[in-house]
């Protein structure tokens, strides 16, 4: 068995696309007939996007065949409120394909404000409201009529999945590159525009010269929704004016008649039968840590010979074998989810791949609280009790294949990547996160039981330098502790942030190592409630028989309202009003009351409209109601 680096494998895959020998013509339009094939091409009628100036028509003056050429003609004329007419045709629902090579031989027009394009859209664009750019767009050739020696190749896609609500323009991402002819220009002669598309690579060429390529991985770095693994359809058009041209819009210098001439459109696909791979596993396999797995796929090729097989774990190349039976042995030691992928290359550069098999090791990769329930604030969160879920879900560790704490006799969470050791200064029940590195993080599910003002205490065993730890709530910056340094005569470094406002609810807390400071060892995070402003609203059944806090009247109010309290036995109470941020606005009463019915007036003349809360505290109990000030 031999092992290949990831870069070498990428070279092999790229070679598959560039040097495949089995491409054959599967579809073409040579435009040799007397009229356009309406069972293949559909003409667009109407205006378009991108602030273009033309009105597209199917009229023969804008679209016709002659002398073996397709003529798309832009005309200066007032038509349906536009200053220009032109044509645009597509193969949607008539001819759609996935992967292959497209060749278009064409002569482009010269002139300010001209924008011919050969492009494709994903066939799912009209499915369930997918729309653009979520469907994907491939611009095989775009051209600015005022730069006659230059064309552009581009892809457009969305950074996110097509969920609603959406903002297509904000979600759009694109990657492109320009090409310049070595000599001459695109308006004086015909040129061949070529685009090649595989499951891993997109390549643009002009006259056989490659000028741009993009790997699937390069695109996926910018999106969570890759659209270029589905059928696409072809579009040919000549736009007049539009955003692509910047300030070079059509004017009096632009010819009144402009022709885009297309000799042919041809689509080739690789007819080579790729290797077939069969793995004797279920789609999902549950295994225990340190279980050895023998991976021996059955690989065959019906029209050639298999040259080698590649084995991936979570898209990382881990082994290659060029001798049948193709074999790989794997022993996962860290809990989590691992996707196995096997690729095989044949002697015709065909690459086959299996559908992914997911190995769920130990507790797997579903993010859940360590104890089964969120940690509670006020309270103490032991930072070694990070969520279950594994690497990249509940934590990120720079050495995910090991737990360095194991070497120190650690027996706590040894099948996970975060490095944990016993706290030698405790009674043996306390653990510390250790060997911290910049960029590492752990996540925790927490529940804040009471809204209010807290003191937040962080304790650690400091390292040799000055560390910084950031904490985030639901992905947003929250608090941080800096200058966590060793102190003479102390074992633990304790830092406290005072008067931190928190709202009741469930959150995801993330501890992020921003500066490791000689590998600081985080211990715990403690939240101490100083002043509760809990916004829970009490139902009538929640009040004890001896006391009741009534709804204010009137409500909504402006600017005065009355708040009443009923007491059946003597009590010491405090009645406060808070704003929606939990800040104290007014204390209406603080002291001891005899049994009776009491009414207090709240004047909000100097306050702004919004939601306010009034809260009664007595004998360790708290009761809260909401009121609305409308001005």
């Amino acid at each position: 068995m031999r092992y290949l680096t990831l870069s070498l494998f990428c070279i092999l895959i790229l070679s598959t696309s560039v040097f495949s020998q089995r491409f054959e013509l599967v579809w073409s339009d040579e435009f040799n007939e007397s009229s356009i094939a309406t069972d293949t091409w559909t003409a667009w009628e109407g205006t378009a996007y991108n602030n273009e100036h033309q009105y597209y028509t199917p009229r023969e003056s804008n679209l016709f065949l002659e002398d073996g050429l397709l003529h798309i003609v832009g005309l200066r004329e007032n038509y349906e409120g536009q200053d220009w007419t032109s044509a645009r045709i597509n193969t949607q629902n008539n001819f759609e394909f996935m992967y292959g090579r497209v060749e278009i031989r064409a002569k482009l027009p010269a002139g300010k404000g001209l924008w011919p394009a050969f492009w494709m859209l994903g066939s799912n664009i009209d499915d369930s409201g997918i729309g653009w750019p979520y469907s994907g767009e491939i611009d095989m050739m775009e051209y600015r009529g005022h730069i006659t020696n230059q064309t552009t190749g581009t892809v457009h896609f969305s950074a996110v999945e097509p969920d609603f609500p959406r903002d297509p323009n904000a979600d759009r991402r694109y990657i492109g590159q320009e090409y310049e002819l070595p000599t001459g220009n695109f308006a004086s002669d015909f040129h061949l525009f070529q685009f090649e598309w595989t499951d891993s690579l997109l390549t643009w060429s002009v006259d056989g010269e490659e000028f741009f390529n993009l790997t699937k991985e390069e695109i996926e770095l910018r999106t969570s929704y890759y659209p270029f693994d589905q059928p696409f359809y072809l579009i040919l058009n000549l736009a007049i004016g539009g955003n692509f041209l910047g300030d070079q819009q059509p004017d009096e210098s632009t010819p009144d008649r402009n022709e885009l001439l297309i000799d042919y459109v041809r689509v080739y696909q690789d007819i080579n039968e790729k290797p077939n791979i069969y793995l004797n596993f279920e789609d999902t396999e549950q295994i225990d840590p340190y279980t050895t797995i023998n991976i021996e796929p059955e690989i065959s090729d019906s029209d050639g010979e298999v040259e080698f097989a590649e084995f991936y774990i979570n898209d990382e190349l881990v082994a290659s074998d060029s001798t049948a039976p193709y074999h790989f042995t794997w022993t996962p030691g860290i809990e989590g989810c691992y996707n196995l992928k096997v690729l095989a290359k044949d002697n015709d550069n065909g690459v086959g791949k299996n559908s992914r098999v997911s190995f769920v090791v130990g507790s797997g990769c579903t993010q859940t609280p360590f104890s089964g329930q969120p940690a509670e604030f006020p309270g103490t969160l032991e930072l070694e009790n990070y969520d279950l879920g594994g690497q990249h879900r509940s934590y990120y560790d720079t050495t995910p294949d090991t737990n360095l704490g194991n070497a120190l006799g650690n027996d706590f969470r040894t099948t996970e990547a975060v490095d944990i050791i016993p706290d030698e200064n405790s009674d043996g029940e306390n653990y510390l996160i250790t060997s911290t590195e910049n960029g590492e993080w752990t996540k925790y599910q927490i529940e804040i039981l009471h809204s209010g003002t807290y003191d937040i205490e962080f304790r650690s065993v400091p390292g040799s330098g000055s560390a910084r730890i950031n904490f985030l709530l639901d992905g947003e910056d929250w608090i941080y502790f800096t200058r966590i340094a060793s102190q003479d005569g102390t074992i633990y470094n304790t830092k406290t942030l005072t008067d931190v406002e928190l709202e009741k609810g469930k959150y995801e807390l993330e501890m992020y190592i921003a500066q490791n400071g000689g590998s600081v060892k985080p211990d715990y995070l403690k939240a101490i409630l100083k002043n509760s402003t809990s916004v829970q609203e009490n139902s009538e059944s929640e009040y004890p028989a001896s006391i009741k806090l009534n709804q204010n009247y009137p409500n909504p109010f402006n600017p005065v309202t009355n708040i009443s309290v009923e007491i059946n036995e003597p009590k010491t109470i405090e009645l406060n009003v808070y704003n929606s941020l939990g800040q104290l606005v007014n204390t209406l009463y603080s002291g001891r009351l005899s049994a009776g019915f009491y009414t207090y007036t709240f004047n909000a003349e100097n306050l702004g409209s919004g939601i306010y809360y009034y809260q009664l505290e007595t004998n360790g109990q708290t009761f809260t109601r909401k009121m609305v000030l409308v001005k």
Side-chain angles (χ1 to χ4, degrees):
M1 181 180 297
R2 61 189 177 88
Y3 292 82
L4 292 178
T5 65
L6 183 58
S7 59
L8 176 56
F9 178 74
C10 289
I11 291 171
L12 291 169
I13 291 298
L14 295 182
S15 300
T16 298
S17 174
V18 176
F19 301 112
S20 176
Q21 303 298 312
R22 301 291 296 277
F23 271 129
E24 288 195 5
L25 184 68
V26 295
W27 178 92
S28 73
D29 196 332
E30 305 294 324
F31 302 116
N32 290 326
E33 306 298 324
S34 59
S35 61
I36 294 172
T38 55
D39 59 347
T40 299
W41 300 101
T42 301
W44 177 292
E45 185 166 4
T47 56
Y49 309 100
N50 309 305
N51 295 310
E52 298 167 23
H53 296 196
Q54 80 290 328
Y55 191 96
Y56 286 127
T57 90
R59 301 177 307 165
E60 189 170 345
S61 58
N62 294 117
L63 183 68
F64 63 93
L65 299 185
E66 186 176 274
D67 298 328
L69 299 174
L70 170 65
H71 296 247
I72 297 180
V73 183
L75 297 173
R76 189 194 300 269
E77 59 177 327
N78 189 288
Y79 190 92
E80 296 292 338
Q82 300 295 104
D83 295 331
W84 292 82
T85 60
S86 186
R88 166 173 160 174
I89 58 176
N90 69 75
T91 64
Q92 186 178 21
N93 299 321
N94 295 322
F95 174 69
E96 300 173 350
F97 70 102
M98 182 170 71
Y99 308 141
R101 185 173 70 225
V102 183
E103 293 185 350
I104 302 175
R105 185 172 184 267
K107 182 179 179 182
L108 310 181
K112 185 178 180 181
L114 303 183
W115 177 12
F118 307 145
W119 50 303
M120 297 193 290
L121 286 174
S123 298
N124 69 344
I125 191 168
D126 295 329
D127 296 347
S128 303
I130 292 292
W132 181 94
Y134 311 95
S135 62
E137 175 184 328
I138 299 171
D139 298 325
M140 299 177 288
M141 187 287 300
E142 288 185 286
Y143 166 84
R144 298 176 175 91
H146 63 285
I147 311 177
T148 58
N149 68 333
Q150 183 186 92
T151 60
T152 301
T154 310
V155 290
H156 300 260
F157 50 93
S158 167
V160 295
E161 296 187 9
D163 295 329
F164 290 92
R166 62 171 70 176
D167 185 340
N169 287 325
D171 293 343
R172 178 183 73 111
R173 301 292 183 269
Y174 68 94
I175 310 172
Q177 186 162 306
E178 296 171 342
Y179 170 79
E180 291 189 3
L181 277 173
T183 60
N185 62 71
F186 289 104
S188 61
D189 203 354
F190 282 85
H191 291 270
L192 185 62
F193 303 94
Q194 300 158 296
F195 173 74
E196 194 167 311
W197 170 31
T198 75
D199 60 357
S200 59
L201 184 68
L202 291 78
T203 305
W204 287 257
S205 303
V206 174
D207 297 331
E209 179 183 345
E210 178 184 326
F211 71 92
F212 182 39
N213 67 62
L214 279 173
T215 65
K216 180 177 181 179
E217 289 75 13
E218 287 175 307
I219 298 173
E220 287 182 325
L221 289 173
R222 308 189 188 191
T223 179
S224 59
Y225 186 72
Y226 182 81
F228 304 110
D229 52 5
Q230 59 157 333
F232 274 61
Y233 62 88
L234 297 163
I235 305 170
L236 313 175
N237 72 283
L238 171 58
I240 314 292
N243 298 340
F244 182 68
L245 300 167
D247 60 1
Q248 299 296 309
Q249 301 302 313
D251 59 18
E252 64 278 359
S253 71
T254 307
D256 294 340
R257 188 179 191 278
N258 305 277
E259 279 195 292
L260 167 61
L261 302 178
I262 301 172
D263 185 11
Y264 58 77
V265 180
R266 297 172 180 170
V267 176
Y268 302 79
Q269 289 185 309
D270 190 352
I271 65 166
N272 174 43
E273 292 292 333
K274 299 176 181 179
N276 182 60
I277 302 171
Y278 173 72
L279 279 168
N280 189 25
F281 293 111
E282 300 293 333
D283 291 342
T284 302
E285 296 276 352
Q286 179 77 48
I287 61 175
D288 294 325
Y290 296 101
T291 299
T292 298
I293 304 168
N294 184 38
I295 300 169
E296 190 172 301
E298 297 177 14
I299 303 177
S300 60
D301 187 62
S302 61
D303 62 349
E305 297 179 358
V306 176
E307 291 190 347
F308 59 81
E310 307 284 353
F311 298 87
Y312 280 84
I313 299 294
N314 286 350
D315 290 325
E316 181 179 351
L317 180 66
V318 293
S320 174
D321 192 358
S322 58
T323 305
Y326 308 98
H327 178 78
F328 169 53
T329 299
W330 178 53
T331 306
I334 303 297
E335 294 187 351
C337 288
Y338 300 86
N339 292 319
L340 168 67
K341 180 173 68 176
V342 180
L343 302 184
K345 178 180 175 292
D346 66 18
N347 59 325
D348 284 315
N349 291 315
V351 177
K353 62 181 179 180
N354 70 297
S355 57
R356 291 174 181 262
V357 175
S358 180
F359 290 99
V360 180
V361 181
S363 59
C365 54
T366 301
Q367 187 175 348
T368 56
F370 173 71
S371 63
Q373 296 295 328
E376 294 181 348
F377 281 3
T380 300
L381 170 63
E382 294 290 344
L383 293 169
E384 70 271 18
N385 294 340
Y386 56 86
D387 288 352
L388 300 174
Q391 178 86 337
H392 296 295
R393 292 177 178 84
S394 62
Y395 61 80
Y396 172 72
D397 192 273
T398 57
T399 54
D401 297 328
T402 60
N403 182 330
L404 297 180
N406 292 347
L408 303 177
N410 175 30
D411 59 358
F412 183 76
R413 306 191 76 168
T414 56
T415 59
E416 298 183 75
V418 178
D419 304 304
I420 296 175
I421 58 172
D423 180 4
E424 61 182 13
N425 302 301
S426 71
D427 56 7
E429 297 299 322
N430 189 43
Y431 291 88
L432 306 170
I433 293 178
T434 188
S435 301
T436 51
E437 298 282 349
N438 293 349
E440 293 186 337
W441 48 262
T442 46
K443 290 184 177 180
Y444 311 82
Q445 304 303 307
I446 67 169
E447 182 173 7
I448 299 171
L449 301 178
H450 303 286
S451 297
T453 307
Y454 288 77
D455 286 348
I456 308 296
E457 177 184 297
F458 172 71
R459 190 174 87 165
S460 66
V461 174
S464 58
S466 181
R468 176 186 171 116
I469 307 268
N470 293 349
F471 286 91
L472 295 79
L473 274 183
D474 285 348
E476 299 292 334
D477 289 337
W478 177 44
I479 59 175
Y480 63 88
F481 297 89
T482 188
R483 297 183 180 178
I484 305 170
S486 298
Q487 299 175 2
D488 293 338
T490 62
I491 297 172
Y492 300 105
N493 186 312
T494 302
K495 286 182 170 287
T496 302
L497 296 178
T498 60
D499 298 329
V500 178
E501 300 292 337
L502 288 174
E503 291 289 335
K504 177 181 177 181
K506 293 183 179 180
Y507 300 86
E508 180 181 83
L509 173 70
E510 179 180 325
M511 179 176 69
Y512 182 85
I513 310 298
Q515 180 182 342
N516 64 19
S519 190
V520 64
K521 301 175 179 64
D523 186 5
Y524 67 65
L525 194 71
K526 181 184 294 185
I528 304 162
L529 180 63
K530 295 175 65 177
N531 180 37
S532 174
T533 57
S534 179
V535 298
Q536 71 176 16
E537 295 191 51
N538 307 94
S539 67
E540 298 297 325
S541 61
E542 290 177 320
Y543 291 101
S546 59
I547 192 168
K548 182 180 179 183
L549 178 64
N550 295 311
Q551 186 64 52
N552 66 301
Y553 181 82
N555 187 43
F557 68 98
N558 179 25
V560 176
T561 189
N562 295 310
I563 300 170
S564 60
V565 180
E566 297 178 51
I567 299 176
N568 293 336
E569 59 185 39
K571 286 185 178 293
T572 298
I573 74 162
E574 185 167 309
L575 183 61
N576 294 314
V577 177
Y578 299 90
N579 63 20
S580 60
L581 298 177
Q583 298 167 326
L584 179 65
V585 171
N586 199 340
T587 297
L588 299 179
Y589 184 82
S590 179
R592 188 167 181 80
L593 294 174
S594 301
F597 183 95
Y598 298 88
T599 298
Y600 302 92
T601 299
F602 174 55
N603 190 331
E605 182 177 0
N606 297 322
L607 299 175
S609 298
I611 297 174
Y612 292 83
Y613 301 91
Y614 54 99
Q615 185 177 86
L616 174 68
E617 294 185 25
T618 179
N619 297 338
Q621 294 179 301
T622 301
F623 307 101
T624 305
R625 284 191 180 273
K626 179 170 65 176
M627 57 185 174
V628 180
L629 172 61
V630 178
K631 290 188 173 181

